[in-house]
Amino acid sequence: MSKTLTTTEAVQQATGRDWAGWNGLLDAWGATEHPHKDIVAWLVGEHGLGNWWAQTITVEYERARGLRAPGGGRDGRYTVSASKTVNVSVQQLYAAFTDGELRAKWLPDGELRERTAQPLRSARFDWAGGSTRVNVGFVDKGDRAQVGLVHERLTDTDEAEHFKQYWRTRLATLKELLENQG
């Protein structure tokens, strides 16, 4: 059985319906015949949900109806995420990803090729030739900063599990490197 993204009480309180209520409503609409983005748009447009709740309800519905495996998308690909708060400025944390020389110190085997970036906010990369993507977001927290990373388009659960552990280890190494720099 798949793990729900949030509790029944939380969805009920925030949206006025529990999981069964949303699943029944989506079934009546015929959501299994619609792509993910259309379900989200319908929940936002017809039911006034914010994007976060619409995404959450859609993913849980897709899981409940067997359209999506836990950690996977409807296209059969998988996504993993990792985050870390580091006691350095957002400028230093951002540079650790976008400066190739600095990145090699904590990600020596990493094969990131920058696609796009919004300085100090986000950077998107192709990984290892472009079959998967790594999207990174940065949050300035004053005297520290947070990085959130999503590695998407992974082919199966084994690859997803590998990269889940990989990114946890790499971000811990990054934190240690940046916090111990003179």
Side-chain angles (χ1 to χ4, degrees):
M1 179 166 198
S2 69
K3 177 182 169 189
T4 56
L5 295 174
T6 191
T7 66
T8 298
E9 296 80 24
V11 73
Q12 173 77 46
Q13 184 177 6
T15 69
R17 285 187 173 83
D18 63 9
W19 290 118
W22 283 113
N23 287 349
L25 186 69
L26 288 163
D27 282 341
W29 179 64
T32 59
E33 303 303 316
H34 294 275
H36 179 89
K37 68 182 180 95
D38 291 353
I39 300 170
V40 170
W42 184 75
L43 290 169
V44 170
E46 294 295 319
H47 296 281
L49 293 178
N51 192 59
W52 189 87
W53 275 109
Q55 290 283 349
T56 300
I57 290 166
T58 300
V59 167
E60 187 56 33
Y61 175 80
E62 290 169 337
R63 286 181 178 173
R65 297 303 179 258
L67 302 172
R68 172 191 297 258
R74 283 180 73 168
D75 62 359
R77 294 183 183 186
Y78 291 79
T79 299
V80 296
S81 62
S83 65
K84 186 67 73 180
T85 299
V86 185
N87 294 319
V88 298
S89 70
V90 72
Q91 291 86 352
Q92 290 170 284
L93 191 55
Y94 179 80
F97 279 85
T98 58
D99 179 307
E101 189 174 311
L102 181 54
R103 186 173 59 235
K105 293 179 181 178
W106 66 273
L107 193 68
D109 59 343
E111 298 179 46
L112 293 177
R113 184 178 56 83
E114 190 174 313
R115 295 173 53 84
T116 63
Q118 293 182 346
L120 308 183
R121 296 188 60 201
S122 67
R124 296 177 182 270
F125 301 91
D126 283 332
W127 177 265
S131 64
T132 66
R133 299 251 170 93
V134 177
N135 302 318
V136 187
F138 304 90
V139 178
D140 187 347
K141 295 183 169 253
D143 60 345
R144 56 197 176 111
Q146 183 178 27
V147 59
L149 176 146
V150 176
H151 195 151
E152 58 188 25
R153 299 183 176 182
L154 302 170
T155 58
D156 56 38
T157 56
D158 290 340
E159 187 178 38
E161 186 58 35
H162 164 78
F163 278 108
K164 183 178 179 181
Q165 296 305 317
Y166 176 84
W167 286 115
R168 285 180 179 169
T169 302
R170 294 294 82 214
L171 291 182
T173 300
L174 171 64
K175 178 181 174 75
E176 184 178 339
L177 172 74
L178 292 179
E179 289 181 353
N180 292 324
Q181 281 183 344

